[in-house]
Amino acid sequence: MTVAKNVKCCALNSDEGPHFEILPKAGLDVHPGNRSANFWNADELVEELQGCCSVIAGSEPYTAQVLKQLPDLRVIARTGVGFDAIDLAACDELGVVVTTTPGVNHHSVAEHTIAMLMGLARGFPNQDQRVRTENWKRIARPRVMDRTLGLVGLGRIGQAVATRAAGLGMKVIACEPYPEMDFVDKWGIELLELDDLFATADYVSLHNPLTEKSRKMMNAETFSKMKQGSVLINTARGALVDEEALVNALNSGHLSAAGLDVFDVEPLPVESPLTKMSNVMLSGHVAGLDIESQRDTLTMAAETIIALKNGEWPQMCIQNLSGVKDWSWDR
């Protein structure tokens, strides 16, 4: 096989799909990932990507240590919109393009967020567990209609959640530094500072990016500012939440429940206290995954790789190399 033609699929659920038809038509060889390997281990990831020009990437970490051992790598095509597991500075230095797939999975994340919200509102998973153990208990819970949902972030995903919440009869408030006012006005969303949102919302849902400033933004101090009995939902990035502080807030009763799709360490260790709590709903980083988004994400990732190979520069998808005008597929 020619080194410059190999594309490896490391993202989960990427071992089949439209990219296996799209990439070969452009002269690229696409290969499923070795699922017995641990891509979160630097040595195993390096071994997997030897001789690859591109990778269809998931959440595995692309550190400077990893990147410097992959001289053939030209493109990291991330299946999703997050790229915090990738050392962008190292990619800039080495001329590796980092791409994402914006605009294809926001409906999936929104549906998952609402599913968690409704499940927690109706007392799942505890209700399910009680029935399985013949320990029925009828508990009246607050209706979702007329409750307040606070969105931290009002981009594509936050907006998709907002419209669904409005359909449930919820009041929607949001904290967003760069709001689209036409959308805000159309849906009657109240914009608040973060502390005011925490004090007002019955449900707080995170849809903001992970930055050094936002890392562990949900901590003991911010949990104390949240409304008594409120609920936290995180389908964004695990590192936004201090999990130890969250466990304490749940145990104290200050928060009544939490829905988490993402975690500081993934997979979530089974010994985590979160796995033992009946008022916590967990899922394994799947909020952005439905049949439609999986198809469209893999299609966009493949088409972006091909565009770069052909000398194009799909700016909307590229997350690094700002101002670079002389990048070339051939070094």
Side-chain angles (χ1 to χ4, degrees):
M1 293 180 290
T2 303
V3 168
K5 291 185 176 181
N6 293 331
V7 180
K8 186 58 68 79
C9 300
C10 286
L12 297 177
N13 301 100
S14 67
D15 289 343
E16 59 181 16
H19 53 307
F20 276 85
E21 296 181 6
I22 296 169
L23 290 165
K25 290 179 181 178
L28 296 170
D29 299 324
V30 57
H31 308 277
N34 175 12
R35 296 307 162 188
S36 65
N38 176 11
F39 297 152
W40 276 258
N41 177 281
D43 292 337
E44 294 186 50
L45 182 59
V46 168
E47 181 179 356
E48 182 74 6
L49 295 180
Q50 286 301 317
C52 291
C53 64
S54 304
V55 56
I56 294 181
S59 300
E60 63 277 3
Y62 291 86
T63 63
Q65 173 194 356
V66 167
L67 293 163
K68 288 176 181 177
Q69 298 179 71
L70 299 172
D72 298 307
L73 191 63
R74 305 302 289 128
V75 181
I76 299 174
R78 172 75 173 84
T79 54
V81 295
F83 48 90
D84 46 276
I86 304 172
D87 188 328
L88 293 185
C91 288
D92 285 350
E93 179 183 346
L94 297 168
V96 177
V97 182
V98 178
T99 71
T100 58
T101 55
V104 296
N105 71 348
H106 53 292
H107 291 303
S108 178
V109 179
E111 289 185 3
H112 197 92
T113 300
I114 294 297
M116 282 192 149
L117 187 155
M118 292 298 296
L120 293 167
R122 302 303 294 185
F124 295 106
N126 196 25
Q127 289 283 11
D128 174 81
Q129 293 165 358
R130 286 184 176 279
V131 171
R132 293 175 189 272
T133 57
E134 297 185 31
N135 183 25
W136 288 37
K137 190 172 184 180
R138 294 168 61 87
I139 301 173
R141 295 179 177 276
R143 186 176 295 170
V144 167
M145 186 174 69
D146 295 329
R147 301 295 163 181
T148 299
L149 171 62
L151 300 174
V152 182
L154 198 61
R156 283 192 184 95
I157 296 173
Q159 290 180 17
V161 175
T163 58
R164 288 161 173 80
L168 293 172
M170 300 187 78
K171 178 183 178 182
V172 180
I173 60 178
C175 179
E176 167 56 53
Y178 307 105
E180 293 184 20
M181 291 309 301
D182 288 345
F183 180 88
V184 169
D185 294 339
K186 177 180 178 180
W187 291 95
I189 297 170
E190 183 180 2
L191 297 175
L192 296 175
E193 295 298 323
L194 198 55
D195 285 355
D196 294 329
L197 181 146
F198 288 149
T200 305
D202 300 295
Y203 299 85
V204 172
S205 189
L206 306 181
H207 302 289
N208 55 315
L210 175 63
T211 64
E212 284 309 307
K213 184 177 180 180
S214 66
R215 187 177 297 275
K216 299 291 191 294
M217 61 174 286
M218 304 306 300
N219 51 49
E221 179 182 359
T222 47
F223 287 135
S224 70
K225 296 176 180 179
M226 289 177 62
K227 191 174 179 180
Q228 177 72 33
S230 58
V231 175
L232 176 73
I233 300 172
N234 186 13
T235 56
R237 285 289 177 266
L240 294 171
V241 177
D242 182 329
E243 290 174 4
E244 182 179 356
L246 173 60
V247 169
N248 291 337
L250 290 164
N251 281 332
S252 72
H254 186 71
L255 296 189
S256 65
L260 306 172
D261 180 60
V262 288
F263 308 93
D264 200 15
V265 175
E266 296 183 355
L268 178 68
V270 293
E271 60 270 19
S272 167
L274 293 167
T275 66
K276 316 294 192 300
M277 305 181 81
S278 62
N279 59 342
V280 176
M281 185 173 285
L282 306 172
S283 59
H285 206 144
V286 294
L289 182 65
D290 59 21
I291 292 173
E292 294 81 4
S293 68
Q294 180 174 329
R295 177 198 64 215
D296 294 346
T297 294
L298 293 169
T299 297
M300 180 178 284
E303 290 177 344
T304 302
I305 291 171
I306 292 169
L308 288 163
K309 179 177 180 291
N310 291 340
E312 302 170 25
W313 194 254
Q315 186 64 59
M316 180 184 74
C317 300
I318 296 173
Q319 302 300 333
N320 69 324
L321 294 171
S322 177
V324 170
K325 299 184 183 301
D326 58 353
W327 185 90
S328 173
W329 181 270
D330 300 315
R331 292 185 186 273

